[in-house]
């Protein structure tokens, strides 16, 4: 019989869109860092002749769009968005201002990770909500609060509506857009904007944009931490150095775990056992009906994202949990037919507790797949069915490394199951939906009048036509 890999490679248009998106992640992160990090060689951290401690040293992190004062019509006129955000840190007093971050799907998972990052680095209170739920709530935002809206397309209906409701009711709240489309509705209608600059994704499911969005929040966290005095200079320097190394680390993971899938040369090839570890794991678990993904701290949002990719791409039911919550319900479902993916980096302060969670899975004959650092692989190999190793990095950056194997695993299981991994059933991005409707209208052969506009509701549009 034809093997899944042979069938995969023999397709006239085999699904490489999502795989190419993942492979472009290092390039996207490099581009983002060049945009927002001042060159170390030309960076002069202290004025010439200034004594140590005379003045606060400038940051290497640079967000031009957040450093311009808000207009006179705004309730926070005269302040820059960065100043408004930094003021949410209460210092020695109780914080009275806060961030509220909203998003849908993968953007929500980026929001949860942003919550961890900003609270840890800048000590600013953060609340995360689903935009689809926030849209129908009565926002409790006070003067100086910050609403952060995350959207890949910048056109997500629930996110647009939520932002408009807040702007209509609260004139002295800062709205910040974190999007991948700089000309989108959310970007244009917000007070300030951070662009992920990841370029268009060929796969419907978000991969490189997720990584770029999280990296942008790490940079924002560093900038705020330095302004608030919560991130010591030595820690800032070390974190930014590790961040600059991140693209090469991610490239290593992608090369190691998926190089055989990129090699085609016009030939139909079969993967041999051991040639691609993730492919072997996918083959072993592709018939599973359920998955559980576990993580703690900064890696909990990655467990959520891994579960979502498993559902979107492989069409396998999956749930993501904080590892400690496994004993509150999910543990009753674990048996030899339930694969459990555990993100267990030694860099995590709760690593020993994660090992205990793995032992609990083993006690119930569960099949554990662990993601950990290369130096720690042997230790977990003794208690796990399979171990995926990744390079060692900073605790804050480990989510960006560990998410890559989860994206690839979902992709491979989707291919093995014969799914349309580049365009999963039932999924469509807002920007792609608008584009598809436009193309279908042009192809219909009817004489129509078209309203061309950017954003929801045809704002800033103009009439053209008639067009056949």
């Amino acid at each position: 019989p034809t093997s899944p890999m042979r069938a995969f490679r023999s397709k006239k248009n085999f699904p490489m869109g999502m795989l190419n998106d993942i492979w472009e992640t290092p390039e996207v992160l490099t581009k983002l860092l060049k945009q927002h990090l001042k060159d170390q060689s030309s960076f002069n951290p202290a004025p010439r002749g200034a004594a140590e401690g005379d003045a606060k040293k400038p940051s290497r992190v640079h967000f031009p769009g957040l450093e311009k004062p808000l207009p006179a019509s705004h309730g926070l006129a005269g302040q820059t968005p960065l100043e408004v955000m930094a003021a949410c840190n209460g210092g020695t007093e109780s914080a009275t201002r806060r961030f509220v971050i909203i998003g849908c799907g993968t953007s929500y998972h980026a929001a949860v990770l942003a919550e961890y990052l900003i609270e840890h680095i800048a000590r600013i209170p953060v609340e995360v909500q689903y935009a689809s739920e926030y849209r129908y709530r009565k926002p409790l935002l006070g003067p100086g609060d910050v609403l952060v809206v995350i959207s890949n397309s910048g056109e997500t209906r629930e996110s647009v509506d939520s932002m408009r409701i807040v702007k209509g009711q609260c004139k002295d709240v800062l709205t910040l857009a974190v999007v991948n489309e700089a000309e989108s509705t959310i970007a244009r209608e917000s007070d300030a904007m951070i662009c992920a600059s990841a370029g268009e994704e060929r796969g419907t499911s978000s991969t490189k944009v997720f990584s770029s969005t999280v990296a942008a929040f790490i940079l924002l966290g560093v900038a705020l931490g330095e302004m608030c005095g919560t991130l010591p200079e030595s820690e800032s320097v070390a974190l930014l150095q590790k961040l600059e190394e991140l693209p090469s680390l991610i490239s290593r993971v992608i090369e190691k775990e998926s190089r055989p899938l990129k090699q085609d040369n016009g030939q139909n090839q079969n993967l041999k056992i051991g040639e691609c570890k993730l492919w072997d794991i996918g083959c072993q678990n592709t018939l599973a009906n359920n998955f559980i993904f576990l993580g703690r701290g900064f890696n909990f949002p990655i467990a959520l994202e891994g579960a979502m990719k498993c559902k979107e791409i492989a069409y396998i039911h999956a749930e993501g949990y904080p590892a400690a919550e496994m004993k509150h319900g999910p543990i009753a479902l674990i048996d030899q037919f339930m694969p459990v993916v555990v993100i267990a980096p030694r860099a995590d302060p709760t690593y020993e507790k994660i090992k205990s969670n793995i032992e609990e899975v083993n006690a119930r004959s569960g099949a554990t797949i662990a993601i950990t650092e290369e130096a720690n692989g042997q230790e977990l190999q003794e208690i796990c069915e399979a171990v995926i190793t990744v390079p060692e990095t900073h605790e804050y950056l480990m989510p960006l490394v560990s998410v890559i194997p989860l994206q690839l695993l979902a992709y491979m299981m989707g291919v093995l199951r014969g799914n349309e991994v580049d365009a999963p059933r039932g999924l469509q991005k807002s920007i792609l939906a608008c584009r598809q409707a436009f193309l279908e209208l042009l192809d219909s052969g009817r004489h129509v009048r078209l309203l061309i506009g950017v954003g929801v509701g045809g704002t800033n549009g103009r009439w053209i036509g008639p067009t056949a």
Side-chain angles (χ1 to χ4, degrees):
T2 303
S3 71
M5 175 53 79
R6 183 176 294 276
F8 166 69
R9 292 193 179 281
S10 63
K11 287 185 179 182
K12 183 177 181 180
N13 295 308
F14 52 80
M16 294 290 283
M18 179 181 173
L19 186 60
N20 287 332
D21 288 340
I22 297 172
W23 271 73
E24 289 172 5
T25 301
E27 179 184 347
V28 165
L29 294 180
T30 299
K31 177 182 176 182
L32 185 77
L33 294 178
K34 286 183 178 179
Q35 287 179 347
H36 297 295
L37 270 187
K38 297 175 184 176
D39 185 19
Q40 182 67 57
S41 61
S42 60
F43 179 65
N44 185 15
R48 181 175 296 179
E52 186 175 355
D54 283 353
K56 182 175 285 188
K57 295 181 178 180
S59 173
R60 280 190 66 199
V61 181
H62 181 51
F63 284 101
L66 306 184
E67 297 167 6
K68 300 176 182 178
L70 294 166
S73 58
H74 199 283
L76 300 169
Q79 302 179 66
T80 68
L82 267 179
E83 290 171 343
V84 174
M85 288 187 276
C88 293
N89 175 285
T92 57
E93 302 177 1
S94 298
T96 57
R97 300 180 179 183
R98 62 187 172 130
F99 279 37
V100 175
I101 310 179
I102 61 174
C104 296
T106 290
S107 293
Y108 174 80
H109 301 155
V112 177
L113 188 46
E115 175 187 19
Y116 279 73
L117 290 165
I118 293 172
E119 286 192 344
H120 274 74
I121 300 174
R123 305 304 297 152
I124 292 173
V126 180
E127 175 187 339
V128 175
Q129 298 283 343
Y130 282 105
S132 55
E133 288 293 311
Y134 198 74
R135 161 68 178 82
Y136 298 99
R137 296 177 59 179
K138 296 180 180 179
L140 291 173
L141 293 171
D145 284 348
V146 179
L147 176 70
V148 183
V149 185
I150 306 177
S151 172
N152 182 339
S153 65
E155 305 291 349
T156 309
R157 169 54 68 181
E158 295 90 342
S159 300
V160 172
D161 289 346
S162 296
M163 185 180 69
R164 287 175 174 171
I165 289 171
V166 169
K167 289 180 72 70
Q169 297 178 358
C170 312
K171 302 300 182 183
D172 46 8
V173 168
L174 176 71
T175 54
L176 172 66
V178 182
V179 298
N180 190 46
E181 297 288 339
E183 300 299 325
S184 62
T185 300
I186 293 175
R188 288 183 294 104
E189 295 187 7
S190 61
D191 299 320
M193 184 265 292
I194 297 175
C195 185
S197 302
E200 183 179 351
E201 287 184 311
R202 281 150 289 192
T204 302
S205 189
S206 181
T207 50
K208 63 179 180 179
V209 174
F210 173 80
S211 298
S212 186
T213 300
V214 171
F217 275 112
I218 294 172
L219 290 168
L220 179 62
V222 171
L224 292 174
E226 291 175 340
M227 288 187 69
C228 298
T230 56
L231 183 65
E233 182 186 353
S234 58
E235 293 184 19
S236 174
V237 171
L239 178 56
L240 292 179
Q241 286 177 345
K242 290 291 185 181
L243 188 56
E244 289 179 301
E245 298 170 1
L246 189 63
S248 63
L249 299 184
I250 291 177
S251 183
R252 280 172 52 189
V253 176
I254 296 172
E255 284 275 352
K256 183 181 73 170
E257 301 297 347
S258 64
R259 166 56 68 183
L261 272 67
K262 288 281 286 185
Q263 295 171 342
D264 189 20
N265 299 324
Q267 299 179 357
N268 295 329
Q269 302 174 7
N270 290 315
L271 278 178
K272 299 177 181 178
I273 295 176
E275 187 177 352
C276 180
K277 192 165 190 177
L278 267 183
W279 183 264
D280 294 343
I281 294 172
C283 291
Q284 293 166 1
N285 296 283
T286 191
L287 297 180
N289 292 319
N290 302 279
F291 265 79
I292 291 179
F293 290 76
L294 302 176
R296 285 178 180 257
F298 294 97
N299 293 298
F300 161 56
I302 302 305
L304 294 176
E305 179 64 9
M308 173 170 282
K309 287 292 174 282
C310 190
K311 286 179 278 196
E312 288 180 340
I313 308 302
Y315 305 163
I316 298 175
H317 172 254
E319 298 294 338
Y321 290 95
E325 293 299 309
M326 181 183 68
K327 59 181 177 287
H328 299 293
I331 198 168
L333 302 175
I334 295 175
D335 57 20
Q336 65 268 34
F337 304 111
M338 172 78 79
V340 180
V341 180
V342 184
I343 307 167
R346 184 170 279 280
D348 193 317
T350 60
Y351 172 72
E352 293 299 328
K353 293 184 179 294
I354 297 176
K355 283 184 62 179
S356 298
N357 296 136
I358 294 174
E359 296 287 6
E360 290 177 344
V361 173
N362 291 341
R364 288 155 182 82
S365 302
T368 307
I369 303 164
I371 299 177
T372 192
E373 296 96 334
E374 293 165 346
N376 196 49
Q378 188 58 43
E379 179 179 338
L380 290 187
Q381 192 69 57
E382 298 174 1
I383 59 174
C384 297
E385 182 171 292
V387 176
I388 304 165
T389 58
V390 296
E392 182 179 352
T393 188
H394 193 284
E395 177 191 1
Y396 297 163
L397 308 181
M398 183 54 70
L400 286 172
V401 179
S402 58
V403 75
I404 299 298
L406 299 185
Q407 293 171 346
L408 290 170
L409 179 60
Y411 172 85
M412 293 176 189
M413 290 195 297
V415 169
L416 285 162
R417 293 167 69 96
N419 301 341
E420 292 295 333
V421 294
D422 287 344
R425 63 191 183 201
L427 293 181
Q428 197 167 29
K429 292 179 181 176
S430 300
I431 196 74
L432 296 179
C434 294
R435 184 180 301 152
Q436 183 63 29
F438 177 73
L439 293 176
E440 289 176 357
L441 196 57
L442 288 179
D443 290 340
S444 65
R446 293 178 297 169
H447 288 270
V448 294
R449 289 176 64 84
L450 299 178
L451 176 64
I452 304 299
V454 178
V456 176
T459 53
N460 291 345
R462 59 188 176 88
W463 287 102
I464 65 170
T467 302

